[in-house]
Amino acid sequence: MTKTKEGYTVNGTEAKAPLFCSFRLLLAFLAFLGFFLCYAQRNGLSVSIVCMVDPSADNLTSSDSNTDPVISRNIPESCKKHTDQNDRTESQVLFWPKTTRGTILGSFYWGYALTQIPSSVAVNILGPKRFLAILILVSSAATLLVPLVSNLHPAAVILLRIVAGAAQGGLWPTIFRFWATWAPASERTTLLSFPSSGPSMGTIVSYMMGGFFCEFSFSSAMPFILRFGWTYFFYVLGGLGILWSIFWLFLASDTPVLNKHISDNERDYIQACKAAEKIQDTRTKTPWVPMLRSQGFWCIVVSMFFCDFGLYAIWTVIPQYMDEVLLFTNKENGIYSALPQIGSFIVVMLSGGLADLIIKKKYLKRVNTRKLFHGVGTLAPAICLLLMSFLDCESRRLAVTLLFVGVALNGFMMSGGYVVNVGDFSGVHSGVVFGVCNTISSIGGFCAPYITGFITKNKTAGEWKLALMLYAASFLISAVAFSLLARGETEPWARDDVHDEKINYDVDANKELMEIKASTVVPQSQVA
């Protein structure tokens, strides 16, 4: 096999398959839709819970119920007109106090933290095609059932959220495994940018949908599970997720060799690209001790934990900030909470190919490109959140603008920062590395809403100032850690130079790796 200017030549025949209009691009779009639905299911509750819960639930648990809440929160006189817009609506029927809401919002990450590592093992047994379909099917079913149990007891909702979190805990390890056999190294960032942009777009639509579904209710003669608009929000997201699982099972496959829909030319091209990469056999045992000692691994642990803490806070509690400090109505809350995610989606889609171009043209080394993208993606929200902490409802448009800029520029981290860097240094073990690191970072997922609920129990601007500063500091720590520790090339424990030499001089060796027996589907991976 030799490489030409535009493609690869295998046994004298050129293998060339542009990414545009390719089947792998179709699968990337389908993966985007799957992540879109999952993150809509995950984060949509942050907005819908505002219109589900009776505001008086907080007063029932207050130690000083005779205090005027408007005065105790020190709302400026010019903003008091906005409080009249936030009167209780017919759909706000659940009595969940602030601490209970924090527990419900954080419970998703209890399950999410439990399944990261087991999922990276299970995907090797079931294969990424079937396993991803199962994950999204379970998450969607749990979402569909939320309205049915919400009026029973908060514990029932917490249990469903744990189940949904446990299912979604396997998303990233599975998608890393899937693209290990489908994505040529030169297209890795571009193809991964599709599922990486799913979280932003899913959050965007769920925020806007949540605000829209809050606006209507039906006759009291209707059953509880059909009476309020927010119940249909869960039904739509759950139902679409179930349909997605069916389409994925029909179109996807664990490897290009096993796919019935891909063209022969594209299949040959992907195989040729894989033959040129330095890879270990996917059945290689995980080198736990060298991995846990490696600099790249601990870089991801630290930078992911602190970055995700800030992101989880933005996803789960910012709608409450908009309600309690900026005093937006439910409809405005959904729109303005979604705007920053729109910016993030655009940046992720535009910057994914940019990172590949910078590396390909050798403007920067791979590791320096990752540091640049991660630095922009973490320092921007840190600065914007810090500035937001000094604003109140009198400057609420400026606060939304700062949030938009910070979250939009965070898209650089998703498209070229730590998310992609995992595959740079860990090769075939990228799923395990990401699973372990994401398990640790998930702690921030259930801590962020609980800590925020504790800090902001009186809903004052001063309390929220402290919370926003905490989020800003978290992003800053992530930026510093990644700039000092990031690695851009395959580390020794993830390489197999003897195996690699066999592949370089024996084209058929690559086919032996790709042609996996149907009874034992074990996907392979790539390294930088």
Side-chain angles (χ1 to χ4, degrees):
M1 181 199 72
T2 59
K3 184 176 180 181
T4 66
K5 183 177 180 180
E6 296 183 345
Y8 290 90
T9 300
V10 182
N11 295 332
T13 302
E14 183 177 9
K16 180 183 176 183
L19 180 61
F20 184 70
C21 290
S22 64
F23 190 77
R24 61 191 183 279
L25 187 62
L26 172 63
L27 291 179
F29 178 71
L30 195 58
F32 156 77
L33 292 179
F35 275 64
F36 162 87
L37 289 170
C38 282
Y39 276 77
Q41 295 166 5
R42 176 192 302 196
N43 299 320
L45 183 61
S46 302
V47 168
S48 60
I49 200 170
V50 175
C51 61
M52 294 166 62
V53 177
D54 191 325
S56 64
D58 293 326
N59 297 335
L60 295 177
T61 59
S62 173
S63 58
D64 186 7
S65 59
N66 295 323
T67 303
D68 184 353
V70 174
I71 297 176
S72 65
R73 290 165 62 187
N74 297 318
I75 297 176
E77 192 67 31
S78 60
C79 292
K80 288 185 178 179
K81 61 181 180 180
H82 301 306
T83 61
D84 297 333
Q85 303 174 9
N86 292 329
D87 293 334
R88 179 182 177 276
T89 63
E90 294 181 2
S91 65
Q92 293 177 302
V93 293
L94 302 175
F95 287 87
W96 296 342
K98 196 173 183 69
T99 53
T100 300
R101 298 199 298 273
T103 302
I104 291 173
L105 292 174
S107 61
F108 177 94
Y109 296 96
W110 300 352
Y112 191 73
L114 293 175
T115 56
Q116 298 287 323
I117 299 176
S119 293
S120 64
V121 176
V123 69
N124 292 336
I125 300 173
L126 295 176
K129 169 190 171 180
R130 285 179 291 177
F131 194 57
L132 188 60
I134 292 171
L135 294 178
I136 297 183
L137 180 66
V138 172
S139 175
S140 301
T143 301
L144 196 66
L145 293 173
V146 167
L148 305 181
V149 303
S150 59
N151 199 36
L152 300 178
H153 195 277
V157 178
I158 290 173
L159 178 60
L160 286 176
R161 294 294 290 174
I162 292 174
V163 171
Q168 292 195 28
L171 288 180
W172 286 104
T174 303
I175 206 64
F176 268 99
R177 276 298 192 186
F178 179 78
W179 287 121
T181 55
W182 276 92
S186 61
E187 299 171 357
R188 179 191 303 141
T189 308
T190 303
L191 290 172
L192 270 175
S193 67
F194 278 83
S196 295
S197 63
S200 297
M201 184 54 72
T203 305
I204 292 166
V205 175
S206 66
Y207 280 176
M208 298 183 72
M209 283 177 58
F212 170 76
F213 280 100
C214 284
E215 292 296 308
F216 67 90
S217 297
F218 296 109
S219 169
S220 58
M222 296 280 285
F224 178 88
I225 59 174
L226 298 174
R227 187 185 313 163
F228 308 110
W230 54 263
T231 62
Y232 295 91
F233 173 72
F234 295 100
Y235 298 148
V236 169
L237 291 180
L240 289 176
I242 293 172
L243 288 176
W244 181 93
S245 299
I246 297 172
F247 278 103
W248 177 259
L249 286 173
F250 176 73
L251 290 174
S253 65
D254 294 322
T255 69
V257 173
L258 300 175
N259 197 282
K260 299 178 181 179
H261 308 287
I262 191 174
S263 68
D264 293 339
N265 182 59
E266 184 175 0
R267 182 185 299 111
D268 292 341
Y269 172 74
I270 297 174
Q271 286 183 285
C273 292
K274 288 301 172 183
E277 299 172 20
K278 300 182 189 297
I279 57 174
Q280 287 180 338
D281 192 294
T282 54
R283 286 159 286 192
T284 302
K285 292 183 179 180
T286 303
W288 288 103
V289 174
M291 184 186 79
L292 294 175
R293 289 178 177 176
S294 70
Q295 178 177 319
F297 172 80
W298 286 105
C299 170
I300 300 299
V301 169
V302 178
S303 57
M304 181 187 289
F305 176 84
F306 286 101
C307 181
D308 283 6
F309 180 86
L311 281 177
Y312 291 146
I314 290 175
W315 285 339
T316 57
V317 301
I318 285 300
Q320 295 182 47
Y321 167 76
M322 297 240 181
D323 175 57
E324 297 174 2
V325 176
L326 304 185
L327 302 177
F328 287 117
T329 63
N330 289 333
K331 185 175 182 179
E332 291 174 327
N333 196 336
I335 295 174
Y336 290 126
S337 295
L339 282 177
Q341 305 300 331
I342 295 176
S344 178
F345 171 79
I346 295 173
V347 169
V348 169
M349 295 303 296
L350 294 180
S351 61
L354 178 61
D356 282 338
L357 180 63
I358 291 173
I359 296 170
K360 182 178 179 180
K361 296 293 185 180
K362 298 183 179 180
Y363 296 137
L364 288 174
K365 292 182 178 179
R366 187 186 304 275
V367 66
N368 291 332
T369 303
R370 303 300 185 221
K371 289 180 180 180
L372 173 63
F373 276 59
H374 189 87
V376 173
T378 49
L379 289 176
I383 294 171
C384 291
L385 287 169
L386 182 62
L387 294 175
M388 281 175 58
S389 68
F390 293 95
L391 303 178
D392 56 21
C393 59
E394 292 182 308
S395 305
R396 57 186 192 159
R397 306 297 178 186
L398 177 58
V400 172
T401 301
L402 288 171
L403 186 64
F404 176 85
V405 173
V407 176
L409 293 180
N410 178 257
F412 281 97
M413 181 278 299
M414 295 294 293
S415 65
Y418 81 75
V419 175
V420 183
N421 181 243
V422 173
D424 290 337
F425 70 86
S426 59
V428 72
H429 307 293
S430 59
V432 176
V433 170
F434 197 94
V436 174
C437 296
N438 210 16
T439 298
I440 298 172
S441 73
S442 299
I443 296 173
F446 52 79
C447 285
Y450 184 82
I451 292 174
T452 303
F454 178 77
I455 294 175
T456 64
K457 55 186 177 182
N458 295 315
K459 307 181 182 180
T460 66
E463 292 173 340
W464 275 103
K465 179 178 182 179
L466 179 60
L468 293 175
M469 286 184 171
L470 179 63
Y471 310 151
S474 184
F475 278 116
L476 178 61
I477 294 172
S478 177
V480 173
F482 194 84
S483 67
L484 295 176
L485 300 175
R487 300 294 298 272
E489 304 301 330
T490 310
E491 295 199 340
W493 51 270
R495 293 175 63 98
D496 190 340
D497 291 334
V498 174
H499 185 71
D500 168 65
E501 186 151 353
K502 177 185 176 183
I503 292 175
N504 283 338
Y505 292 96
D506 182 2
V507 176
D508 291 334
N510 179 65
K511 293 184 178 179
E512 293 174 7
L513 293 177
M514 297 291 289
E515 293 173 355
I516 302 168
K517 294 181 180 180
S519 59
T520 310
V521 180
V522 184
Q524 71 181 46
S525 183
Q526 84 285 345
V527 298

